[in-house]
Amino acid sequence: MTETPSRQATINKAVSYLDDGTFEAALRRRVAIPSASRVAANKPDLWRYISEEMQPFFERLGFAVKVYENDLAPGPFLIAERIEDPSLTTVLQYGHGDVVAGLDGQWDEGLGPFDMTERNGAWYGRGTADNKGQHAVNLAAIEALLAVRGSLGFNLKYLIEMGEESGSLGLEEMCAAHREELAADVFIASDGPRLALDRPTIFLGARGGMSFHLEINARESFQHSGNWGGILSNPGIELCHAITALVDRTGKIKVPAMTPGKIPENVREALKHCKIEPAADDPPIEPWWGEPGLTPEEKVFAWSSFEVMEMECGNLAQPLYAIPPKARARVQLRFPFGVDPDAVVPAVRKALQDAGYDRVVVKDPTDAIFLASRLDPDHPWVKRVSASIEQTLGQPPAILPNLGGSLPNNIFSDLLGLPTIWIPHSFPGCLQHAPNEHLPISIVREGLAMMAGLYWDIGEHHS
């Protein structure tokens, strides 16, 4: 007997894939493909993920599928398209099927990166949280909607890339080349963490991210500290002092061009309803660190943070008892919408020169720069998605103006000109990029329900 098409029937169908093992089987197959985009030996697996998993899935559901290559990218791109009526709303979705290196041998006993294991109510394996498990939730909800309604009620385009963990190289060029093919009314994707394990969340963009090096090259070789100490400069000491011209001892950034200057009022208002609550295994928040006068949520989601990521000076592993000839630090700036990344390095150079540190060389960034982006929290699509999730789960989601981390969101918001909404199906303690990456099954259950409800709602007026 066929169940009468309804919103609840669609939600029930999506959740049934979890209860009958269908979802677990699909995710287990996908996790088993070691699609690490930064590992050269795994390049064939980037193609396997598309050809063995994504393409057959989409074609079975009536999508037209095209696979593209870009010389900059480590792996292929897939665009799946189901156009039911050009007059209907068109949604563009996104996910990435590549993962970071598995780190075999570093996982807890009985666990491994590419053999998914259930333990303590979670699935462990590389990609369970980032990002195979997340787009698996969305794909299962799409399948449920088609099974119940027989149609989507809207048009859907799905982009899968295989190089996000390599900096999404080639994604911007691919999207520019296929701009018309990717045209839509809204962008909806799932990546990154929720605000907390038990707090469904949407976020509307991402902080930008850039890294660069600070260097002092004082001389060619080490010099004995007994013979030369006190009459030769120490580049390590000099570089440490130079960094204090950029940030003070409590993490407050001193260079105006590195911060947005102010936080929009509707962003502040949205963040009043969000709270960072570290889990048992997380470090406690240190309120004295960072921009004075801001809440922890404002510091992470609406302000810039400047970090010294690594420093080199001398040879700590094998001391030489000599004055080192050089010192180097790799620093990172995470920045929200409102910071011009092109102005950062020139401003850093000027700040150091003005403070008298003219021997510090500020290198231009060599890593990819992620640009900041943020959809206005008052945008109609934000209200629409939030209302749908609240109807399904009985509580409104946390609305983050942007993620604290960095994603290639600006490609979709700026290049393609779309309102962007991310609905994460993971949580801060998932250990993505580390051994023991995992995805709580409770998040999968909620994710299947809220995505099935959302898809139903998007197509409700056209079914």
Side-chain angles (χ1 to χ4, degrees), residues 89-106:
T89 297
T90 298
V91 177
L92 173 63
Q93 293 208 255
Y94 162 87
H96 66 88
D98 68 314
V99 297
V100 297
L103 304 179
D104 303 62
Q106 298 182 38

Side-chain angles (χ1 to χ4, degrees), residues 268-329:
R268 284 187 183 274
E269 184 61 32
L271 291 175
K272 287 179 181 178
H273 305 284
C274 304
K275 187 171 180 59
I276 299 174
E277 296 181 343
D281 295 334
D282 292 333
I285 294 172
E286 297 176 313
W288 56 271
W289 185 263
E291 182 69 17
L294 300 187
T295 67
E297 295 73 29
E298 289 169 343
K299 292 176 182 178
V300 173
F301 302 118
W303 203 254
S304 300
S305 64
F306 182 73
E307 311 289 350
V308 176
M309 305 303 287
E310 295 89 17
M311 293 188 75
E312 293 178 344
C313 181
N315 190 332
L316 191 61
Q318 191 173 27
L320 300 176
Y321 300 96
I323 300 170
K326 60 186 68 177
R328 182 170 71 152

